[in-house]
């Protein structure tokens, strides 16, 4: 080492240039380093979740992923909620905004939640522009926002400045020159730049590593420079030449610096044995950093000290001296008590630390989540061959009150729904398709009864139109006012019983909306026609002539048949004939002979008289319309009383009435022949569609079920085949349906692949809690029992659950491995078994004490913080024990135990406190102020652990060394 020291000192400026050049190059490489924020990339190779994610990446490559920003407003009116939604949607780089005005997930008391989705990564210029717009555009609103970035990329400039300020204050207090802290910082700063730049060989580092590696490297390796400059001062007291003094200092300090660095490096390398590969990421970067710091101190620091030697002398100041004779006296006098106390202490903290809960996830402070808890999403990836077994699992999951939704091929597309359930399901789907219950009933009927021909009587059809069709707005585009009017007129003909019941003239007149007198005349004519010719009945000549002169001649419908001359002759004849002759009854033929009239005319008058002077006649609507059509309308003289439209309506009415009365069942085609002429809107397709609607409404079975996929396949098939159902859909609706089917196909592709399918579960379970663990226990047990193939759980809680299954055994393994490695290094360094046993036990006691204290204050310890503090404390703070033990052993060559303890305190305390305070205070500040909870937990735990370790080394180690003195001191 002496020759190497001489080379380094003699070529010191070459080494300075080499290191500065390397630092400059590495500084240019730092921006090219990729910072990975996806912690799932560090899952173990044998991880179930990692295997599932790899499969999912291969089979579901088009899965869309968005970054989200939650925005919460207070005290918005309904109008303002809509306005805010529109403003948020208009923000640049926002892909969409999720909000449901009816859901309590987005509206609670006076709070309103919007979720902004963007395709841009967190911390990208585009995503940061959204955050900036929220701060500026909504500055006057009562609003807070929270991005859902799980990671914070690096220390903020404020925290860096604060950490360096604390570090410099400690160095100013503890160092022997005002310039020394700047030299230390410069050299370790070069090491930090080189370490960060060389991280490029790793491809990427985690955001945790990127956040804390630099500051940890700085504080873990600062004591190397302190050891070297302290040794240089000691050598200068015996050597006038500064270069020679540095050669000697470097030769003698190398062992301390190297051993200190190697224990730290080895401790950090133990992180590589973590199954969770974040340990490898952190371990390599930190170990590499400490090693580079050691190289910089050994190769660069000598030249820097010599370069600024005069300035160091000029700025020299009195070092802070902390008298520790009292501690030496106390440690010696209470060594037995201290030894027993440590054994009891170690046993107690060993037991207590098992009571501390271990956390596998940490959440940022989130005021929005206090009002609107975030969803906990779990993906279950399973073999597609088990698809038929998933319904039972999904149905059971939906019974859990904590489960918000279960999205799988079964729940979204293949679950069977009744018609009523399907109506509700379609309304819940995020489409703009409006399929009402009637349409869905038609689809169900068409699916199950497509081969059955529907037949309806005319009466059933008319009643169906009136009671169902005309009342349904969905048919408004297919039925115009003229059709409604026509069918409204025909509604009175829908009751066969009513059509065949005899009615009086007044009832017939009211039924058809005709004049009663006109109907009476038709009734008389009907009687005449029915009697058909000469009647054998008789009437007196007096009554006959009187009827003609007083009733018929005065009736405008019959007065044309009797001239004034004929009436006059009839009056003369009545006066001339004898009373006996006038009162004698005659048949119609006899009356015609006596009066000299046409026999047919006489018979008609005879029948008219009989109809008017007998009991009021009655006729059914069916008989009446048939008589009018066959007898009246066929008589040119009588049909002249009706205009063409009335004649048309009467003939159409007869066709309908006959159809109703016959109670014949008609097919859709036959019914179109009956009613098709009523309106241009009523074409054959529309009528077929109405028949289908009748089947869906009247003939459906409520137990029939269809899936969403089957329903939309049926709709598409109907459109493509031109079935009656297609006539119900306009072009706009057909386009919407095609879009919806395409969306369903895309949705299916997100849930079903060639080999595997996905079930996505949204719940309000906490990301980590006993309830969440119980849920996962129950779910995995059910999946084990139900599925034949393998399955994979993917999600934050799934990752926590998976880690929890193996963490305790992994922690034990790393603890033993780290202790063994450090034990071996210390044993080789001291050529002793007792010393490494004492030092390892002390530091491990510090780890146990840290975990116990966290548990006693009611907190849980983050699993990663526990592993890191185990490795860092065992590697870094054990150096303090090594340093103190070295001084003690050296002093024991010439001093007694008590004096040796005092000498050890005198020689080691300054270095221990300088390095220890840096490690304790800087990490404590970061642990308080760092935004990311994961990094905050790690550095905060390091601070507490370092404090415990320093206290144990300063106040427990001396007593243990005194107790074991004979086993500790060097052998001759």
């Amino acid at each position: 080492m002496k020759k190497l020291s001489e080379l380094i000192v003699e070529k010191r400026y070459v080494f300075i240039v080499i290191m500065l050049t390397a630092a400059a190059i590495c500084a240019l490489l730092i921006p090219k380093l990729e910072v990975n924020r996806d912690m799932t990339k560090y899952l173990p190779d044998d991880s179930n979740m990692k295997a599932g994610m790899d499969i999912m990446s291969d089979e579901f490559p088009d899965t869309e992923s968005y970054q989200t920003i939650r925005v919460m407003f207070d005290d918005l009116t309904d109008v303002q909620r809509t306005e805010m939604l529109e403003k948020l949607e208009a923000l640049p780089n926002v892909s969409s905004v999720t909000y449901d005005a009816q859901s309590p997930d987005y509206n609670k008391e006076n709070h309103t939640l919007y979720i902004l989705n963007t395709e841009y990564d967190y911390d990208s210029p585009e995503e940061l522009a959204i955050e900036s717009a929220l701060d500026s555009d909504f500055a006057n609103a009562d609003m807070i926002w929270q991005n859902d970035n799980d990671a914070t990329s690096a220390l903020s400039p404020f925290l860096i400045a604060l950490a360096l300020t604390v570090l410099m204050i400690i160095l100013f207090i503890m160092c022997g020159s005002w310039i020394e802290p700047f030299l230390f910082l410069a050299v370790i700063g070069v090491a930090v730049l080189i370490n960060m730049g060389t991280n490029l060989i790793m491809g990427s580092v985690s955001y945790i590593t990127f956040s804390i590696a630099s500051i940890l490297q700085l504080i873990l390796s600062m004591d190397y420079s302190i050891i070297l400059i302290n040794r240089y001062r000691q050598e200068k007291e015996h050597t006038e030449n500064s270069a020679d003094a540095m050669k000697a200092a470097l030769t003698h300090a190398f062992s301390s610096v190297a051993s200190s660095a190697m224990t730290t490096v080895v401790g950090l390398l133990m992180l590589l044995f973590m199954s969770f590969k974040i340990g490898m990421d952190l371990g390599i970067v930190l170990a590499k950093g400490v090693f580079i710091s050691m190289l910089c101190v050994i190769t660069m620091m000598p030249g820097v000290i010599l370069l600024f030697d005069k300035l160091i002398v000029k700025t020299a100041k009195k070092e802070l001296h902390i008298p520790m004779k009292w501690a030496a006296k106390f440690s010696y006098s209470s060594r037995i008590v201290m030894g027993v106390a440590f054994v009891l202490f170690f046993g107690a903290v060993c037991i207590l630390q098992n009571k501390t809960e271990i956390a596998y996830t940490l959440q940022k402070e989130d005021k929005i989540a206090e009002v609107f808890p975030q969803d906990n999403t779990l993906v279950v990836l399973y073999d597609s061959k088990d698809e038929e077994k998933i319904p039972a699992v999904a149905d059971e999951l939906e019974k859990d009150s904590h489960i918000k939704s279960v999205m799988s091929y079964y729940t979204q597309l293949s679950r069977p729904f009744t018609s009523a359930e399907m109506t509700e399901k379609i309304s819940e789907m995020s489409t703009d398709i409006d399929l009402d219950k009637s349409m869905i009933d038609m689809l169900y009927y068409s699916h199950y009864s497509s081969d059955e021909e529907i037949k309806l009587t005319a009466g059933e059809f008319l009643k169906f139109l009136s009671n169902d069709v005309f009342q349904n707005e969905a048919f408004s585009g297919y039925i115009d006012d003229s059709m409604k009017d026509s069918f409204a007129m025909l509604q009175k003909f829908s009751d066969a019983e009513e059509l065949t019941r005899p009615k009086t003239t007044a009832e017939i007149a009211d039924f058809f909306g005709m004049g009663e007198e006109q109907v009476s005349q038709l009734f008389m004519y009907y009687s005449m026609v029915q009697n058909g010719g000469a009647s054998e009945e008789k009437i007196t000549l007096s009554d006959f002539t009187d009827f003609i002169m007083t009733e018929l001649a005065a009736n405008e419908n019959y007065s044309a048949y009797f001239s004034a001359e004929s009436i006059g002759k009839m009056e003369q004849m009545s006066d001339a004939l004898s009373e006996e002759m006038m009162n004698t009854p005659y048949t119609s033929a006899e009356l015609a002979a006596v009066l000299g009239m046409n026999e047919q005319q006489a018979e008609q008058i005879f029948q008219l008289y009989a109809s008017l002077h007998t009991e009021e006649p009655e006729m059914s609507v069916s008989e009446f319309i048939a008589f009018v059509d066959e007898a009246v309308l066929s008589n040119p003289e009588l049909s002249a009383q009706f205009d063409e439209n009335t004649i048309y309506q009467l003939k159409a009415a007869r066709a309908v009435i006959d159809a109703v009365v016959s109670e014949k069942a008609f097919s859709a085609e036959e019914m179109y022949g009956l009613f098709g002429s009523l309106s241009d809107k009523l074409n054959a397709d529309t009528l077929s569609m109405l028949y289908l609607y009748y089947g869906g409404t009247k003939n459906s079975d409520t137990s029939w079920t269809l899936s969403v996929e089957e329903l939309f396949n049926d709709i598409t098939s109907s459109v493509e085949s031109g079935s009656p159902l297609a006539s119900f859909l306009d072009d706009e609706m057909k386009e919407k349906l095609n879009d919806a089917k395409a969306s369903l196909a895309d949705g299916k592709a997100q849930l079903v692949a060639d080999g595997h399918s996905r079930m996505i579960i949204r719940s309000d379970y906490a990301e980590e809690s006993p309830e969440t663990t119980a849920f996962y226990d129950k779910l995995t047990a059910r999946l084990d029992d139900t599925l034949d193939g393998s399955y994979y759980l993917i999600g934050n809680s799934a990752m926590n659950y998976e880690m929890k299954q193996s963490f305790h055994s992994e922690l034990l393994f790393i603890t033993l491995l780290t202790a063994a490695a450090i034990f071996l290094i210390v044993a080789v360094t001291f050529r002793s078994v007792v010393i490494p046993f004492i030092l390892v036990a002390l530091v491990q006691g510090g780890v146990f004490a840290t975990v116990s204290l966290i548990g006693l204050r009611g907190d849980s310890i983050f699993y990663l913080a526990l592993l890191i503090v185990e490795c860092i404390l065992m590697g870094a703070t054990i150096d303090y024990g090594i340093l103190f033990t070295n001084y003690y052993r050296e002093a024991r060559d010439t001093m007694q135990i008590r004096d040796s303890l005092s000498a050890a305190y005198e020689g080691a305390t300054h270095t221990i406190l300088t390095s220890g305070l840096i490690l304790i205070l800087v990490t404590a500040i970061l642990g308080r102020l760092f935004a990311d909870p994961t990094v905050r937990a790690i550095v905060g735990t390091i601070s507490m652990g370092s404090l415990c370790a320093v206290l144990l080394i300063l106040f427990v180690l001396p007593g243990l060394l005194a107790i074991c003195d004979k086993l500790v001191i060097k052998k001759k």
Side-chain angles (χ1 to χ4, degrees):
M1 184 59 206
K2 183 177 180 181
K3 291 183 178 180
L4 180 60
S5 298
E6 291 176 351
L7 175 66
I8 291 172
V9 173
E10 290 172 1
K11 303 293 183 182
R12 56 188 177 273
Y13 297 118
V14 174
F15 282 104
I16 290 175
V17 170
I18 291 173
M19 290 301 178
L20 289 176
T21 302
I25 294 171
C26 289
L28 296 175
L29 296 177
I30 293 172
K32 301 181 182 298
L33 179 66
E34 179 185 350
V35 178
N36 175 44
R37 295 176 176 83
D38 184 3
M39 296 302 287
T40 61
K41 291 184 178 180
Y42 300 105
L43 287 167
D45 290 333
D46 60 350
S47 163
N48 176 278
M49 179 170 164
K50 180 177 175 58
M53 292 182 67
D54 291 341
I55 293 171
M56 196 163 68
S57 177
D58 291 338
E59 298 192 14
F60 299 91
D62 298 327
T63 300
E64 294 181 345
S65 116
Y66 288 98
Q67 283 59 250
T68 56
I69 301 173
R70 288 169 291 128
V71 183
M72 185 175 75
F73 292 90
D74 288 346
D75 302 320
L76 295 182
T77 65
D78 291 341
V79 174
Q80 289 174 327
R81 288 190 180 98
T82 303
E83 292 175 350
M84 286 299 181
L85 177 61
E86 294 172 351
K87 288 181 180 179
L88 292 171
E89 288 174 334
L91 289 178
N93 306 321
V94 171
S95 303
S96 62
V97 178
T98 305
Y99 173 68
D100 185 350
Q102 308 303 319
S103 172
D105 290 341
Y106 299 90
N107 304 276
K108 188 176 295 183
E109 297 175 350
N110 65 321
H111 309 291
T112 306
L113 174 67
Y114 302 92
I115 300 177
L116 278 57
N117 306 295
T118 179
E119 61 187 17
Y120 299 102
D121 291 335
Y122 293 116
D123 295 330
S124 66
E126 294 82 2
E127 190 272 334
L128 293 174
I130 298 175
E131 297 181 7
S132 178
L134 288 172
D135 289 331
S136 59
D137 296 355
F138 300 90
N140 296 325
D142 189 358
M143 177 270 290
I144 57 174
W145 61 266
Q146 175 78 51
N147 72 37
D148 293 321
N149 185 6
D150 291 332
T152 303
S153 58
L155 290 168
S156 68
F158 169 75
L159 283 180
I160 293 175
L162 183 61
L164 291 177
T165 299
V166 173
L167 184 146
M168 293 297 285
I169 291 173
I170 295 171
L171 290 176
F172 281 138
I173 294 173
M174 305 301 290
C175 287
S177 168
W178 294 108
I179 196 65
E180 286 179 18
F182 297 103
L183 302 182
F184 298 163
L185 199 62
V187 173
I188 302 302
V190 167
V192 168
L193 289 175
I194 295 174
N195 187 43
M196 292 181 69
T198 54
N199 286 338
L200 196 64
I201 62 176
M202 300 176 63
S204 67
V205 296
S206 73
Y207 80 94
I208 296 175
T209 301
F210 190 76
S211 298
I212 65 174
S214 299
I215 197 69
L216 286 182
Q217 179 186 350
L218 186 68
I219 61 181
L220 287 174
S221 54
M222 186 59 69
D223 55 339
Y224 308 155
S225 299
I226 297 172
I227 292 172
L228 180 61
I229 201 166
N230 285 340
R231 192 73 189 196
Y232 172 68
R233 280 201 181 89
Q234 294 172 9
E235 296 297 333
K236 277 189 69 175
E237 293 177 1
H238 306 99
T239 308
E240 293 183 2
N241 186 283
S242 297
D244 291 340
M246 180 56 70
K247 291 176 184 178
L250 187 57
T251 300
H252 291 100
F254 178 81
S255 175
S256 296
V257 172
S259 62
S260 178
M262 292 313 297
T263 54
T264 304
V265 168
V266 169
L268 292 170
L269 288 177
M270 293 301 103
L271 291 171
L272 272 63
F273 293 93
M274 283 178 60
S275 59
F276 196 42
K277 293 181 180 178
I278 186 65
M280 179 177 292
D281 188 79
L282 263 170
I284 290 176
V285 173
L286 289 175
K288 176 166 64 70
V290 170
F291 183 77
I292 291 172
S293 294
M294 180 192 72
L295 288 180
C296 284
V297 169
I298 291 173
T299 60
M300 184 180 177
M301 193 68 186
V304 171
I305 293 174
L306 291 174
L307 183 63
F308 291 93
D309 186 55
K310 292 182 180 180
L311 187 59
I312 292 173
V313 173
K314 285 183 179 181
T315 59
K317 68 178 187 66
K318 188 176 181 180
E319 293 183 358
L320 177 66
H321 181 265
I322 302 175
M324 296 296 291
K325 288 185 178 181
W326 65 270
K329 182 179 180 181
F330 171 79
S331 297
Y332 180 75
S333 61
S334 62
R335 61 188 182 278
I336 303 300
V337 175
M338 190 65 70
V340 174
F342 175 71
V343 172
L344 295 175
F345 167 80
F346 189 90
V349 294
C350 183
I351 295 171
L352 281 175
Q353 57 100 22
N354 287 319
K355 305 295 183 181
T356 301
E357 291 290 333
I358 298 175
Y360 298 88
T361 185
L362 296 172
Q363 298 295 324
K364 295 180 182 178
E365 182 181 359
D366 191 341
K367 293 183 179 180
I368 297 178
E370 294 174 5
V371 181
F372 298 100
Q374 284 187 276
D375 290 345
N376 188 349
T377 302
L378 166 68
V379 176
V380 180
L381 187 73
Y382 56 92
D383 196 314
S384 294
K385 295 177 182 178
D386 284 326
E387 192 65 63
E388 63 182 16
K389 298 181 178 179
I390 284 296
V393 178
D395 289 340
E396 182 175 327
L397 283 170
E398 289 178 333
K399 295 176 183 178
D400 188 332
S401 60
H402 292 282
I403 301 298
K404 291 185 175 181
S405 68
V406 178
M407 187 166 65
S408 66
Y409 172 65
Y410 163 68
T411 60
Q412 300 303 112
L413 295 173
S414 70
R415 170 180 272 165
F417 293 102
T418 64
S419 175
E421 292 169 339
M422 182 65 77
T423 304
E424 184 176 351
K425 175 68 176 177
I426 295 296
S427 67
E428 293 173 354
M429 293 173 63
S430 56
T431 66
D432 56 355
I433 296 175
D434 184 18
L435 294 180
D436 70 352
K437 180 68 163 54
S438 57
M439 176 67 170
I440 293 174
D441 285 339
M442 292 164 64
L443 289 164
Y444 272 63
Y445 184 81
S446 176
H447 182 88
Y448 281 96
S449 305
S450 57
D451 297 332
E452 296 180 10
E453 183 179 22
I454 302 173
K455 287 195 173 185
L456 300 175
T457 66
E460 289 173 331
F461 181 69
L462 289 171
K463 289 178 181 178
F464 173 63
L465 288 178
S466 176
N467 298 333
D468 295 89
V469 177
F470 292 163
Q471 310 303 322
N472 192 332
E473 293 183 2
F475 291 89
S476 59
Y478 306 92
I479 300 174
D480 57 12
D481 292 338
S482 65
M483 189 190 301
K484 282 188 176 181
D485 293 341
S486 298
F487 277 104
M489 179 192 71
L490 296 175
Q491 291 307 311
K492 62 180 70 177
F493 306 142
S494 61
D495 189 342
E497 183 179 351
E498 184 67 16
L499 294 177
T500 55
R501 181 178 65 81
K503 296 180 181 293
T504 64
T505 55
E507 290 174 327
I508 290 289
D510 180 65
F511 188 86
F512 284 100
M514 300 172 64
E516 187 174 346
E517 186 176 351
Q518 184 181 20
V519 173
S520 296
Q521 294 169 7
L522 292 173
F523 264 51
M524 288 189 292
Y525 184 60
Y526 175 77
S527 297
M528 293 168 52
V529 172
Q530 288 294 101
N531 289 330
S535 175
E536 294 302 320
E537 294 183 6
K538 294 183 178 183
I539 187 175
T540 64
L541 183 58
S542 174
D543 290 337
F544 187 75
T545 55
D546 186 55
F547 172 65
I548 292 174
M549 290 185 293
T550 60
E551 293 188 48
L552 292 186
N555 191 316
E556 60 181 9
N557 293 316
Y558 298 98
S559 61
Y561 297 100
F562 302 98
S563 63
E565 183 180 355
S566 63
I567 294 297
K569 287 182 179 180
M570 196 172 294
E571 290 177 348
Q572 292 176 1
M573 184 180 294
S574 297
D575 293 338
L577 294 176
S578 63
E579 184 178 348
E580 180 181 356
M581 193 172 185
M582 289 295 292
N583 293 322
T584 300
Y586 297 94
T587 64
S588 59
E590 293 171 337
L591 287 171
V594 173
L595 297 175
M597 298 174 61
N598 180 284
E599 286 190 16
Q600 184 177 2
Q601 184 181 21
E603 176 61 25
Q604 290 176 348
I605 296 171
F606 193 92
Q607 296 297 334
L608 283 172
Y609 178 87
S611 65
L612 292 174
H613 292 81
T614 57
E615 187 177 333
E616 182 180 13
E618 289 186 343
M619 195 188 321
S620 70
V621 171
S622 175
E623 292 171 332
F624 178 80
I625 199 69
F627 165 70
V628 170
D629 183 35
E630 295 173 3
V632 178
L633 298 182
S634 62
N635 187 324
E637 294 180 354
L638 296 177
S639 64
Q641 302 177 51
F642 306 97
D643 57 33
E644 291 184 3
N645 184 54
T646 302
I647 292 173
Y648 170 78
Q649 291 182 351
L650 288 170
K651 287 185 173 293
R654 183 187 179 183
V656 173
I657 290 171
D658 287 347
V660 172
V661 170
S662 70
E663 296 189 340
K664 175 186 175 182
F666 297 90
S667 65
E669 183 178 357
E670 292 169 334
M671 195 68 78
Y672 174 67
L674 183 63
F675 291 110
S677 60
L678 289 178
S679 172
D680 293 336
K681 281 272 190 177
L682 191 63
N683 54 43
D685 288 338
T686 301
L687 200 54
S688 296
M689 181 265 293
L690 291 174
Y691 259 60
L692 186 59
Y693 176 37
Y694 180 90
T697 304
K698 308 298 182 182
N699 298 341
S700 288
D701 188 334
T702 56
S703 65
W704 286 343
T705 59
L706 284 176
S707 68
V708 171
E709 186 176 36
E710 290 173 326
L711 182 79
F712 278 88
N713 285 339
D714 284 355
I715 295 175
T716 305
S717 299
S718 299
V719 172
E720 292 174 351
S721 64
S723 74
L725 190 61
S727 65
F728 191 69
L729 308 172
D730 57 21
D731 292 339
E732 182 181 0
M733 177 61 81
K734 290 177 182 177
E735 184 177 352
K736 288 181 179 179
L737 287 169
N738 286 332
D739 291 343
K741 187 177 180 184
S743 297
L744 291 176
D746 291 341
K748 183 177 180 179
Q750 298 296 318
L751 298 172
V752 179
D754 292 338
H756 293 82
S757 299
R758 299 196 299 175
M759 178 167 60
I760 303 171
I761 304 168
R762 288 175 55 244
S763 74
D764 61 10
Y765 280 109
E767 196 163 300
E768 183 179 356
S769 69
E771 293 77 15
T772 305
T773 301
F775 166 72
Y776 271 81
D777 287 339
K778 182 178 179 182
L779 176 61
T780 53
R782 179 58 192 267
L783 292 172
D784 288 338
D785 292 341
T786 305
L787 305 184
D788 293 331
S790 57
Y791 66 88
Y792 310 89
L793 304 181
I794 302 169
N796 288 341
S797 291
M799 183 168 62
N800 298 336
Y801 182 76
E802 184 176 301
M803 288 190 295
K804 186 177 292 187
Q805 307 307 307
S806 59
F807 178 74
H808 288 283
S809 59
E810 181 175 327
L811 175 63
L812 178 61
F813 171 73
I814 290 178
T815 299
L816 294 176
L817 187 63
T818 304
I822 300 300
F823 185 96
L824 183 61
I825 293 174
V826 178
V828 171
T829 301
F830 287 102
R831 292 177 175 83
S832 167
V833 174
V834 176
I835 293 174
F837 180 82
I838 293 172
L839 296 183
V840 169
L842 273 174
V843 176
Q844 189 61 54
V847 174
F848 289 160
T850 302
V851 177
S852 300
L853 287 172
I854 291 174
L856 289 173
R857 73 184 186 189
D859 294 333
S860 57
I861 186 168
F862 185 47
Y863 81 101
L864 197 53
L866 177 54
L867 287 171
I868 291 174
V869 78
E870 173 76 44
C871 297
I872 285 182
L873 291 191
M874 193 62 75
T877 61
I878 204 168
D879 294 344
Y880 308 153
I882 292 173
L883 181 65
F884 190 96
T885 304
N886 263 330
Y887 274 108
Y888 177 79
R889 294 221 312 175
E890 289 178 7
R892 282 289 289 127
D893 285 342
T894 59
M895 300 179 185
Q896 295 300 314
I897 294 176
R898 180 173 177 175
D899 293 334
S900 297
L901 290 177
S902 181
Y905 270 116
E906 189 69 23
T909 301
H910 184 273
T911 303
I912 292 173
L913 287 180
T914 303
S915 178
L917 286 174
I918 291 173
L919 189 58
I920 294 166
L921 295 180
V922 173
T923 52
I925 290 171
L926 295 178
R928 284 285 184 179
L929 301 178
F930 205 92
D932 185 86
T934 300
V935 177
R936 192 167 64 241
I938 291 172
V939 295
T941 306
I942 291 174
S943 175
M944 184 180 293
S946 301
L947 176 61
C948 291
V950 168
L951 291 175
L952 287 171
I953 288 169
L954 285 178
F955 299 107
V956 177
L957 176 60
L960 296 179
L961 291 176
I963 293 174
C964 303
D965 177 74
K966 292 183 179 180
L967 300 174
V968 168
I969 60 174
K970 294 179 181 179
K971 302 297 182 182
K972 297 295 184 180

